[in-house]
Amino acid sequence: MKENYCLQAALVCLSMLYHSQAFALERRNHLRPSFHGHHEKGKEGQVLQRSKRGWVWNQFFVIEEYTGPDPVLVGRLHSDIDSGDGNIKYILSGEGAGTIFVIDDKSGNIHATKTLDREERAQYTLMAQAVDRDTNRPLEPPSEFIVKVQDINDNPPEFLHETYHANVPERSNVGTSVIQVTASDADDPTYGNSAKLVYSILEGQPYFSVEAQTGIIRTALPNMDREAKEEYHVVIQAKDMGGHMGGLSGTTKVTITLTDVNDNPPKFPQSVYQMSVSEAAVPGEEVGRVKAKDPDIGENGLVTYNIVDGDGIEMFEITTDYETQEGVVKLKKPVDFETKRAYSLKVEAANVHIDPKFISNGPFKDTVTVKIAVEDADEPPMFLAPSYIHEVQENAAAGTVVGRVHAKDPDAANSPIRYSIDRHTDLDRFFTINPEDGFIKTTKPLDREETAWLNISVFAAEIHNRHQEAKVPVAIKILDVNDNAPKLTAPHEGFICESDQTKPLSNQPIVTVSADDQDDTANGPRFIFSLPPEIIHNPNFTVRDNRDHEAWWFFN
């Protein structure tokens, strides 16, 4: 047990010594260190010796990826009881023994028969033992040792992603962080610089830079404008060996998109818009559209429109079509070509959302003049009155003038007018109208007692366009004349009894007489009642006129 402890201590010391003094030279000689005699000290492959029986190893490392023509010598097993007569047999067991590592049982030399990859396996644990060649009797207790696979720079850096996508606001300050890219290296980070990475930018200058140690990409130019260039393609390299010559490298692509900020005010592409509207248009009808251009996008490009001045501010209105970003001019009130033929509006376009950081770029609005011409429409004639009332006496002779209607063409052409009666309103054809001047006349005598009012409709139409017509109601009052005599309303009978001296009959009405007249009040009641001529001088009877439509008949 004591010998085994001594052997392990010797292994540790030899390993530390090899790391500090021998490895650099061995790498330069590419895995083929030179070996020296059993007692040579202070050089590569130095021998550690016990005072009594024990093991001596002269190498515990093998360089990965060795591709020489011969198996690489890993090290040598040697016991101090070995006198060199060949009676001692060296045995190797453990991880990779007999497959990866083979031992010359006489000399104790260990060779690696296969190329080793540190990234697959960094070390192997083996067991060494010396036995009697003839009897296989152990001459030394078995001792464990480790063969480490020494790293070489055989792995290039690899980024976590083949491509990256990042966004940064346009006009960001220089040094604004955009994104961090990260690469990894499979080589040993604890040894040398094989895994020490340095980042650099291969494409994307002068717009962006990258921090060499962290891989953070930052903006490198001020006031980058999305409207001028929106997308940038950047190539970042990660190089090992601290970025020195001979190091391996890997690259990744980064697509950087500038996001929009509201740094542009809306702007009308022209100073004046010309529009027109027909006088026949109805309120709410679209007259035209204006559009202020804003190169910003999303909510930064939203524009709203308003009428801020002009002589048409009461006649027109404007709304915003947010799908097309246009201002829609609409008719608010009817227009009349004959009254006013043109209007002018001052329209303002303004951003909906303002970024306070760019308020100094303002004002974020623009104005434009909109001129609207009113177009003449072929309008129907217009009567001078909405309705007419005329009078005519009953029994007037045919051809008597009742009255006149008058219409005119409101258009500038002032087309001549022709008049006609709507015969659906004058089925008996009591009236006729002069088509040129609108005078209405009777065609036959009228009887007020049959109809006191007659209502007809008159058309007025343009000569050159009969479809342009208007209609007006005409009420005709039939005036009464005294053409009807009064008539007693019913037969009247009276009775008188023989005189009773106690009750005299004189001055008592016998019959109440009433009359009626079909004529109007002016030509009818009040009536004058009197006795007929044949009895007017009869002293026995008298009539008292009540001065209305009744009278009393008295017996004297």
Side-chain angles (χ1 to χ4, degrees):
M1 183 65 68
K2 179 180 178 180
E3 293 174 349
N4 195 27
Y5 288 157
C6 293
L7 178 58
Q8 292 178 355
L11 290 175
V12 173
C13 293
L14 182 58
S15 174
M16 294 176 63
L17 184 60
Y18 178 80
H19 267 292
S20 61
Q21 296 182 359
F23 182 70
L25 181 59
E26 287 177 5
R27 293 193 62 168
R28 288 197 298 268
N29 293 334
H30 194 67
L31 310 182
R32 296 306 302 270
S34 59
F35 298 96
H36 301 273
H38 180 67
H39 297 288
E40 188 175 10
K41 298 182 180 180
K43 297 183 180 179
E44 182 180 345
Q46 71 176 4
V47 176
L48 292 174
Q49 186 175 356
R50 294 189 298 116
S51 59
K52 297 183 180 181
R53 295 185 305 162
W55 295 105
V56 177
W57 286 267
N58 61 6
Q59 189 174 355
F60 296 94
F61 297 89
V62 60
I63 304 299
E64 67 170 333
E65 306 293 349
Y66 172 71
T67 57
D70 301 319
V72 61
L73 178 62
V74 177
R76 180 187 179 194
L77 299 179
H78 185 75
S79 175
D80 58 0
I81 63 172
D82 187 356
S83 61
D85 56 5
N87 292 327
I88 293 179
K89 179 181 179 180
Y90 295 100
I91 298 174
L92 187 65
S93 62
E95 298 172 339
T99 56
I100 299 175
F101 302 102
V102 297
I103 190 170
D104 186 330
D105 61 1
K106 291 183 179 180
S107 66
N109 289 336
I110 302 172
H111 289 83
T113 61
K114 295 182 179 180
T115 299
L116 303 180
D117 187 353
R118 190 201 67 84
E119 285 69 45
E120 291 183 3
R121 187 160 186 172
Q123 66 181 30
Y124 296 83
T125 302
L126 297 170
M127 192 73 70
Q129 190 171 26
V131 300
D132 185 276
R133 184 174 295 277
D134 295 329
T135 64
N136 285 328
R137 179 176 60 85
L139 301 177
E140 295 274 359
S143 183
E144 183 182 272
F145 67 97
I146 295 175
V147 176
K148 291 186 176 181
V149 182
Q150 188 63 55
D151 183 52
I152 65 170
N153 190 19
D154 59 342
N155 290 280
E158 292 184 359
F159 283 90
L160 299 182
H161 302 285
E162 185 176 349
T163 59
Y164 290 81
H165 295 273
N167 299 323
V168 65
E170 63 175 330
R171 302 195 181 279
S172 293
N173 295 330
V174 173
T176 300
S177 175
V178 179
I179 190 176
Q180 183 176 20
V181 295
T182 303
S184 60
D185 194 314
D187 292 321
D188 188 356
T190 64
Y191 178 78
N193 292 327
S194 297
K196 185 178 181 181
L197 305 183
V198 172
Y199 298 93
S200 61
I201 184 167
L202 301 183
E203 295 181 21
Q205 306 98 329
Y207 308 102
F208 299 94
S209 63
V210 65
E211 290 184 356
Q213 305 303 321
T214 65
I216 296 176
I217 300 174
R218 299 184 183 275
T219 57
L221 281 184
N223 296 321
M224 285 192 289
D225 189 3
R226 185 199 67 83
E227 287 71 37
K229 185 175 182 179
E230 183 176 8
E231 191 173 86
Y232 295 82
H233 298 283
V234 177
V235 177
I236 300 297
Q237 174 184 267
K239 190 174 183 180
D240 60 18
M241 298 298 292
H244 295 137
M245 185 178 297
L248 303 178
S249 63
T251 60
T252 188
K253 295 180 180 179
V254 184
T255 300
I256 300 176
T257 302
L258 297 184
T259 57
D260 188 60
V261 299
N262 190 10
D263 57 340
N264 294 282
K267 185 71 176 177
F268 285 104
Q270 57 199 70
S271 58
V272 178
Y273 283 84
Q274 300 285 350
M275 299 179 184
S276 62
V277 60
S278 171
E279 63 177 339
V282 297
E285 190 169 327
E286 181 177 324
V287 177
R289 295 187 172 216
V290 299
K291 185 174 183 178
K293 295 183 178 180
D294 191 327
D296 296 320
I297 58 176
E299 69 173 17
N300 296 320
L302 293 180
V303 177
T304 185
Y305 298 86
N306 291 287
I307 299 175
V308 295
D309 199 4
D311 60 4
I313 196 168
E314 296 296 327
M315 306 301 294
F316 300 91
E317 62 184 358
I318 191 167
T319 59
T320 303
D321 185 338
Y322 286 104
E323 290 187 3
T324 63
Q325 288 296 291
E326 294 175 308
V328 184
V329 180
K330 295 181 179 180
L331 185 64
K332 188 176 179 181
K333 295 180 181 179
V335 292
D336 183 15
F337 175 82
E338 287 70 33
T339 302
K340 187 173 177 63
R341 300 189 178 186
Y343 293 89
S344 179
L345 303 173
K346 186 177 182 181
V347 173
E348 179 185 84
N351 276 143
V352 176
H353 302 282
I354 305 297
D355 191 335
K357 292 187 296 184
F358 301 98
I359 196 69
S360 60
N361 292 14
F364 284 82
K365 58 186 177 181
D366 193 21
T367 57
V368 71
T369 299
V370 178
K371 294 185 177 180
I372 303 174
V374 179
E375 296 179 341
D376 189 22
D378 192 4
E379 299 176 272
M382 294 180 61
F383 283 95
L384 300 187
S387 63
Y388 292 87
I389 298 178
H390 295 308
E391 298 177 344
V392 63
Q393 287 188 335
E394 64 177 335
N395 298 326
T400 299
V401 174
V402 176
R404 183 188 183 190
V405 295
H406 189 195
K408 67 176 183 178
D409 181 9
D411 300 319
N414 195 21
S415 176
I417 304 298
R418 290 293 180 266
Y419 302 93
S420 62
I421 294 175
D422 182 357
R423 289 306 172 186
H424 293 92
T425 62
D426 185 26
L427 296 175
D428 294 324
R429 296 182 177 268
F430 287 121
F431 305 99
T432 185
I433 191 169
N434 188 315
E436 295 182 355
D437 57 21
F439 280 100
I440 301 172
K441 297 181 180 180
T442 61
T443 59
K444 62 181 77 171
L446 304 174
D447 186 359
R448 189 203 69 83
E449 285 69 46
E450 288 185 3
T451 304
W453 287 87
L454 291 172
N455 297 298
I456 63 174
S457 295
V458 175
F459 289 114
E462 295 180 10
I463 289 180
H464 303 299
N465 186 357
R466 299 290 297 177
H467 296 290
Q468 292 290 0
E469 66 177 11
K471 188 177 183 179
V472 71
V474 180
I476 301 173
K477 182 179 182 181
I478 312 303
L479 300 177
D480 185 56
V481 296
N482 194 9
D483 58 347
N484 290 282
K487 293 181 180 180
L488 294 176
T489 57
H492 295 83
E493 293 183 356
F495 300 93
I496 186 171
C497 297
E498 184 177 357
S499 175
D500 185 349
Q501 295 298 321
T502 62
K503 297 180 179 180
L505 298 175
S506 59
N507 297 320
Q508 294 185 15
I510 301 173
V511 177
T512 299
V513 180
S514 62
D516 192 12
D517 193 325
Q518 294 182 7
D519 292 324
D520 196 6
T521 303
N523 295 316
R526 95 179 146 79
F527 303 123
I528 297 174
F529 293 88
S530 63
L531 293 173
E534 61 268 21
I535 64 170
I536 192 171
H537 298 293
N538 188 330
N540 294 320
F541 298 95
T542 59
V543 173
R544 181 183 297 173
D545 189 349
N546 292 335
R547 298 187 179 276
D548 53 16
H549 62 283
E550 291 183 340
W552 290 342
W553 195 335
F554 288 88
F555 177 75
N556 295 324

